[in-house]
Amino acid sequence: DTEGLLRIKEENQKHYRRAQRHQEKKEKIQRHNRKLGDLVEKKTYDLRTQHEHLAELRRTHILELTSVIFPIEEVKTSMRDPADVSSESDNAMTSSTVSKLAEARRTTYLSGRWVCDDHNGDTSISITGPWITLPNNGDYSAYYNWVEEKKTTQGPDMEHNNPAHTISAALCYATQLVNTLSLILDVNLPKKLCNRQVNTRGDEFCGDNLSRHKFTRAVKKLNANILHLCFSQHVNLDLLHPLHTLRNLMYLVSPDTENLGR
């Protein structure tokens, strides 16, 4: 029994020494983990600082781009609300008629159906200059109506102020701006739209006259890309409308957009 007791004591001492070595190893691992934790925290802070610096650089480039090359502005129109004019000319007009006139002013017939547009007639959005604007309600029917007329009319087009030319130019500039913004922001666009000259053919909007189907499809792709950029920069969703091409772009590149460049 005494010999067995001695053997047990020796084994216990071995286990105790091994436990001490394991404890030292555990403490060493804990110190290493704390050191790594501090390093990760420092690297995370440095990364966040670099992201903020990069976002500020992107923001600066975008604001320079949209102030020098692609300025986007809201152009006021002189149209008055029909409800106001009618109420002034006819004091006996009922309030229900006035409200119906105001509602009619905010309604637009677009692609075979009536849609509500609060900005209809009030303002328009210009790009690269006040003379290049797009309809606020997204109704670009003037373009493909002009294309249809060109098919039936012979001779050169002498109407330089044709709204179809303005729509085509505005959409062309918007496509160029969106593609440039995607490069600056490092955001991949869901739809591919070309804005380069290839074999004497223009881009999606400034090349050959597009049919109604191709034109509408290109506009939808452009609007999808703009909304994708707006979502990536956390633009207030209440400001966006799927048909307001330049207005959505204006909100995206506005200096008031807090997350621009993220």
Side-chain angles (χ1 to χ4, degrees):
D1 292 340
T2 302
E3 292 176 354
L5 180 61
L6 291 175
R7 285 195 303 269
I8 292 174
K9 287 182 178 180
E10 291 177 357
E11 292 179 359
N12 287 341
Q13 289 178 354
K14 292 180 181 178
H15 291 318
Y16 178 75
R17 289 192 295 269
R18 183 181 299 176
Q20 284 184 325
R21 291 195 300 269
H22 289 170
Q23 182 65 25
E24 294 174 355
K25 187 175 182 180
K26 174 185 174 182
E27 293 175 355
K28 183 178 179 181
I29 293 175
Q30 289 177 342
R31 290 193 300 270
H32 181 69
N33 288 340
R34 285 193 296 269
K35 183 178 179 181
L36 287 180
D38 295 339
L39 181 61
V40 169
E41 184 177 356
K42 181 179 182 301
K43 292 293 185 181
T44 302
Y45 175 79
D46 293 341
L47 179 62
R48 184 166 60 250
T49 303
Q50 290 296 328
H51 281 169
E52 293 174 355
H53 177 64
L54 179 59
E56 186 62 29
L57 286 177
R58 290 171 172 169
R59 182 184 182 89
T60 301
H61 291 327
I62 291 174
L63 294 181
E64 289 178 352
L65 179 69
T66 54
S67 62
V68 178
I69 302 178
F70 295 102
I72 301 178
E73 299 176 347
E74 190 171 15
V75 180
K76 297 290 184 180
T77 59
S78 59
M79 294 182 62
R80 299 183 63 189
D81 195 320
D84 298 336
V85 177
S86 299
S87 61
E88 292 176 1
S89 61
D90 187 3
N91 295 329
M93 180 176 294
T94 62
S95 59
S96 61
T97 305
V98 174
S99 62
K100 289 180 180 178
L101 285 173
E103 180 181 0
R105 180 174 175 269
R106 293 190 296 268
T107 309
T108 304
Y109 189 75
L110 177 60
S111 300
R113 62 189 180 91
W114 292 98
V115 296
C116 181
D117 180 19
D118 293 335
H119 300 286
N120 184 23
D122 291 335
T123 61
S124 59
I125 308 300
S126 67
I127 183 171
T128 71
W131 54 89
I132 301 180
T133 61
L134 284 181
N136 280 308
N137 55 10
D139 182 9
Y140 306 144
S141 57
Y143 177 86
Y144 39 78
N145 289 340
W146 170 73
V147 172
E148 293 297 329
E149 292 177 0
K150 285 284 293 182
K151 292 180 180 179
T152 58
T153 304
Q154 300 296 328
D157 181 19
M158 303 302 294
E159 299 181 12
H160 300 291
N161 294 328
N162 192 313
H165 297 160
T166 302
I167 292 175
S168 178
L171 292 174
C172 176
Y173 288 136
T175 301
Q176 295 176 2
L177 176 58
V178 168
N179 289 342
T180 306
L181 290 176
S182 69
L183 295 176
I184 296 176
L185 296 172
D186 195 23
V187 175
N188 294 326
L189 298 176
K191 305 295 182 180
K192 182 178 180 180
L193 280 176
C194 179
N195 64 300
R196 299 182 299 273
Q197 293 286 341
V198 181
N199 297 330
T200 69
R201 296 187 60 188
D203 65 1
E204 295 285 348
F205 298 105
C206 290
D208 299 333
N209 298 331
L210 300 177
S211 64
R212 178 169 182 170
H213 173 72
K214 291 182 178 179
F215 179 83
T216 304
R217 182 171 178 269
V219 170
K220 289 181 179 179
K221 291 166 65 176
L222 175 59
N223 287 335
N225 286 342
I226 293 174
L227 289 176
H228 183 75
L229 288 178
C230 291
F231 299 154
S232 71
Q233 303 305 300
H234 292 177
V235 178
N236 186 359
L237 299 182
D238 296 334
L239 301 176
L240 303 178
H241 190 287
L243 299 180
H244 296 172
T245 306
L246 290 185
R247 186 175 292 276
N248 292 341
L249 259 180
M250 182 182 68
Y251 290 138
L252 171 65
V253 300
S254 171
D256 297 332
T257 303
E258 297 180 357
N259 296 293
L260 181 61
R262 65 180 296 276

